[in-house]
Amino acid sequence: MTLLTQTALFLGAALLIVPLGHRLGLATVLGYLLTGLILGPNLLDVAGNAGNVMHFAEYGVVMLLFLIGLELEPSRLWALKRQIFVLGGLQVMLTGLLFTGIGLMFDLKPVVAAIAGFGLSMSSTSFVLQLLADKKQLSAKHGRKSFAILLFQDIAVIPLLAVLPLLSGNSTQEYNLAYFGKVFAVFGLLIVASRFVVRPVFRVIAASGANELLTAAALFIILGITLLMEYLGLSMALGAFVTGVLLADSPYRHELEASIQPFKGLLLGLFFMAVGMSADIHLLISHPLLMIGGALGLMAMKFAVLAGIGKALGNTWQTSIRLGMVLSQGGEFAFVLFSTAAGYKLLPGKLGDQLILIVTLSMALTPLAFMILAKWIEPLWVQKEKREFDKIEDHDNPVVIAGFGRFGQIVARVLRTHKIGFTALEGDARQVDFVRRFGNNIYYGNPSNLDLLRAAHLDKAKVFILAIDDVDDSIRTAVQVRHYFPNLPILARARDRRHAYMLMDLGVKVIFRETFLSSLDLARQTLVELGYDPSRAERSVRTFRDYDEKLLKRQQAFYHDEESLIASNKEAMKDLEELFDSDEKALRKQMAEAEGEL
């Protein structure tokens, strides 16, 4: 079977299996591995020799490391230096040494034990970031620290891959003083070329308007560096990474990234499919306890190390445990390291198959770890962290703000500049403790609790600002305030149109959709940038706003009926277009009359 036929078969199967796996909750990496497993000798055995595809797909790894280098701007590294190099460095070093020690206990050679140990210390960047994004935890404390550790792991894999040719002893290159002089000369040349050759070339290409040449230039850089490193007997990945770092502050960084990204994704997909194809599923069938036990042991030990490091560096147990759970699996770079080491005859084939299968199983078990954390561990913390509502001191503040997140805080800052007193209520204890560090007067408690509302003296307040982010909590609070303080004006924040309808049902008159006004401001500025007169752009946006506010009130009566709502939106769009057309005709007539008078 030719390489072209193999590649077409892999890509066709991936188009079917990877999206299906994603709908079932499998990460993309696992989808690719599963595709290779199905096509390989373990099941259908229709894809031929995986080695041919693996050799071709290794360029995907090179491109990945080039893109990682592009992301490592010095300013970004400096801002995250402590989390990246202290937290990430400790994790990789301690976990790698732990697994290396275990390998030595099983009589593995030191080099083999080290490759296995540091390969297992890696976690899955793509898998973890996808799970954190799905659960909206990327901005949480453990999410930010997880990102820092993953970034260090991405950096750490470069020297690990670079040292493999040296450890193999199979290279014909003599590593003497002349050789290292040549290496330093090449890297010096790369520094000079990135400054004085690549940038001017990209400037010329961009000025020519031939955008496809940007892609050609990006691919030429990757292939050129790869051939140069191969000639010197160095790691191709190391050269690509260093080149990416040198171009990280280039004004054409984003063009490079956009050009390489599709090729990187496809070639990496082929790489993981080749790994899945070469995985020995019979190991799981013949030694299920060993393989599953190995995966669980890997996750348990990485969890213990990560949680311990997190706590030792001053984090709470809750953050440390979340960190350990999130990063407890093996990662895609373990596949890269083990496959490359096997190619250099540094890792026995059977051990490599076992390690790849253990890493794959650990990734498959990660969603289960997330479920255990969410369903059984975190509820215990909520119960443990539960505290009484804060006692609110007597005051005569005219404004009470319920919800002190990003929306409520902006309102509070404006009030403070005018020396208007306010009482802020927030139901998230962690948010309360965080905001208090900045000197804000804020009280913990669920704003929908009637006793808390009375303690906040809503009977004396002149305005109640409902800025709660959660829709259900917002509605419950509105119900309480409307019922027990019917004369108190409510100014409410609505997350979206449906939230606004629900508030209107309760009799709330003044509602601000959180992205509506900012979107209108952006639309007005867009018209100005396109050449519209500022006054005309302002009038156009104001017309749209007035019409949409009327439409919102009209649709409140049937917003539960989806068919009626869709029909109403279509009709409204048609009406609005006719309204703008009539305004345009009136404006032209007015301008013509003005010119006639002149």
Side-chain angles (χ1 to χ4, degrees):
M1 184 180 295
T2 65
L3 176 61
L4 185 62
T5 305
Q6 277 185 302
T7 304
L9 181 62
F10 272 122
L11 292 176
L15 289 174
L16 175 64
I17 297 172
V18 175
L20 180 62
H22 193 269
R23 292 179 69 88
L24 297 174
L26 292 179
T28 304
V29 174
L30 285 177
Y32 284 128
L33 290 169
L34 182 62
T35 303
L37 196 66
I38 292 172
L39 297 180
N42 295 294
L43 292 175
L44 299 181
D45 194 17
V46 295
N49 183 9
N52 295 332
V53 177
M54 180 74 79
H55 181 71
F56 174 62
E58 282 175 352
Y59 286 100
V61 178
V62 173
M63 291 178 181
L64 172 63
L65 296 173
F66 176 76
L67 291 177
I68 290 172
L70 278 180
E71 290 293 325
L72 297 181
E73 294 178 87
S75 58
R76 189 182 187 194
L77 283 176
W78 183 254
L80 295 172
K81 59 184 182 300
R82 185 176 185 274
Q83 290 190 33
I84 293 174
F85 295 105
V86 177
L87 187 59
L90 281 173
Q91 184 274 321
V92 171
M93 187 59 64
L94 292 180
T95 310
L97 290 176
L98 172 64
F99 289 127
T100 300
I102 293 172
L104 292 173
M105 288 172 56
F106 283 92
D107 295 327
L108 295 180
K109 294 179 181 179
V111 170
V112 175
I115 292 172
F118 282 93
L120 293 174
S121 71
M122 302 294 162
S123 301
S124 175
T125 301
S126 58
F127 199 14
V128 169
L129 293 183
Q130 177 186 317
L131 283 171
L132 288 173
D134 290 345
K135 297 180 181 300
K136 297 181 174 60
Q137 295 177 3
L138 274 173
S139 59
K141 194 171 184 179
H142 68 282
R144 297 194 302 271
K145 293 184 181 299
S146 297
F147 175 78
I149 291 175
L150 291 168
L151 187 55
F152 183 86
Q153 290 179 0
D154 291 346
I155 299 172
V157 80
I158 309 301
L160 292 175
L161 288 171
V163 79
L164 291 180
L166 303 178
L167 293 174
S168 67
N170 295 328
S171 176
T172 57
Q173 174 67 52
E174 185 178 352
Y175 298 100
N176 52 27
L177 188 62
Y179 166 77
F180 286 107
K182 190 164 52 175
V183 170
F184 284 118
V186 168
F187 281 109
L189 182 64
L190 287 178
I191 294 173
V192 173
S194 68
R195 294 285 173 184
F196 302 108
V197 178
V198 175
R199 286 170 172 79
V201 167
F202 268 91
R203 202 157 40 240
V204 171
I205 293 173
S208 73
N211 293 331
E212 68 276 4
L213 290 180
L214 291 172
T215 302
L219 290 174
F220 175 77
I221 290 172
I222 296 290
L223 295 175
I225 294 301
T226 298
L227 292 172
L228 183 61
M229 292 297 117
E230 195 171 37
Y231 170 74
L232 290 172
L234 284 175
S235 166
M236 297 184 296
L238 175 63
F241 174 76
V242 171
T243 307
V245 171
L246 293 175
L247 293 172
D249 60 348
S250 164
Y252 300 101
R253 177 171 71 90
H254 296 294
E255 283 83 353
L256 280 167
E257 188 173 0
S259 299
I260 295 295
Q261 194 75 36
F263 296 97
K264 182 270 296 182
L266 288 174
L267 289 174
L268 267 185
L270 281 175
F271 178 85
F272 291 128
M273 283 186 274
V275 170
M277 184 178 168
S278 58
D280 189 356
I281 196 67
H282 299 293
L283 280 173
L284 180 60
I285 297 172
S286 58
H287 302 91
L289 294 180
L290 177 63
M291 294 296 100
I292 296 174
L296 292 174
L298 167 66
M299 297 177 73
M301 283 184 275
K302 288 186 75 172
F303 166 79
V305 171
L306 281 157
I309 292 172
K311 183 59 180 173
L313 293 179
N315 297 290
T316 63
W317 273 118
Q318 287 86 342
T319 297
S320 302
I321 289 172
R322 289 186 179 106
L323 188 65
M325 283 286 198
V326 166
L327 298 175
S328 61
Q329 75 294 121
E332 52 268 20
F333 273 122
F335 302 138
V336 176
L337 192 63
F338 296 152
S339 299
T340 306
Y344 284 115
K345 310 299 182 185
L346 289 171
L347 198 65
K350 184 177 180 181
L351 178 61
D353 290 342
Q354 291 174 337
L355 292 174
I356 286 174
L357 187 57
I358 285 172
V359 169
T360 304
L361 289 173
S362 72
M363 293 172 69
L365 290 170
T366 300
L368 179 62
F370 267 76
M371 186 184 73
I372 291 172
L373 179 67
K375 288 194 173 182
W376 286 295
I377 299 178
E378 289 184 336
L380 297 177
W381 296 339
V382 172
Q383 190 67 28
K384 191 175 181 179
E385 291 174 350
K386 190 174 181 180
R387 70 190 198 195
E388 296 295 325
F389 295 155
D390 290 337
K391 183 178 179 182
I392 301 177
E393 301 172 358
D394 289 337
H395 62 82
D396 56 357
N397 293 334
V399 180
V400 176
I401 303 174
F404 209 66
R406 55 189 171 88
F407 195 97
Q409 287 180 45
I410 292 175
V411 177
R413 286 165 63 187
V414 174
L415 294 176
R416 180 174 289 171
T417 59
H418 291 276
K419 295 182 173 53
I420 298 174
F422 62 86
T423 301
L425 310 176
E426 172 58 51
D428 186 338
R430 288 174 294 183
Q431 176 73 357
V432 170
D433 294 337
F434 175 76
V435 171
R436 277 180 178 167
R437 294 208 304 257
F438 295 89
N440 292 289
N441 191 19
I442 178 174
Y443 298 96
Y444 167 69
N446 186 345
S448 65
N449 184 288
L450 180 58
D451 292 334
L452 182 70
L453 294 174
R454 285 173 173 161
H457 298 296
L458 258 67
D459 54 331
K460 299 178 182 177
K462 295 180 180 178
V463 177
F464 181 78
I465 297 174
L466 183 59
I468 298 174
D469 183 67
D470 185 84
V471 174
D472 293 336
D473 288 342
S474 171
I475 296 301
R476 281 194 291 268
T477 303
V479 168
Q480 294 285 64
V481 175
R482 292 297 299 155
H483 182 72
Y484 291 99
F485 308 94
N487 297 321
L488 179 63
I490 298 177
L491 306 184
R493 162 229 189 157
R495 282 185 62 89
D496 50 32
R497 210 174 183 88
R498 185 174 182 81
H499 188 189
Y501 291 139
M502 297 167 72
L503 291 167
M504 292 165 68
D505 287 344
L506 296 172
V508 178
K509 303 295 184 185
V510 185
I511 300 170
F512 296 85
R513 286 172 276 166
E514 63 179 32
T515 58
F516 185 58
L517 296 180
S518 56
S519 299
L520 290 177
D521 277 343
L522 190 147
R524 176 188 53 76
Q525 188 60 36
T526 301
L527 293 175
V528 172
E529 294 292 335
L530 291 173
Y532 279 63
D533 180 75
S535 60
R536 182 186 174 193
E538 178 67 34
R539 184 169 59 254
S540 176
V541 169
R542 187 167 59 248
T543 299
F544 179 87
R545 177 183 175 179
D546 293 342
Y547 184 88
D548 194 72
E549 293 289 356
K550 293 175 182 176
L551 179 65
L552 185 74
K553 294 177 182 177
R554 191 165 71 245
Q555 290 181 336
Q556 180 198 354
F558 51 83
Y559 74 90
H560 292 291
D561 185 351
E562 186 175 342
E563 289 186 9
S564 299
L565 200 60
I566 292 172
S568 175
N569 282 332
K570 290 181 179 179
E571 183 182 347
M573 185 58 66
K574 185 178 179 181
D575 291 344
L576 197 58
E577 288 175 356
E578 292 175 354
L579 178 63
F580 276 116
D581 286 341
S582 63
D583 285 348
E584 184 75 19
K585 291 176 182 177
L587 180 62
R588 288 176 181 173
K589 182 178 179 182
Q590 186 178 8
M591 291 175 65
E593 291 174 353
E595 290 177 359
E597 292 176 359
L598 293 174

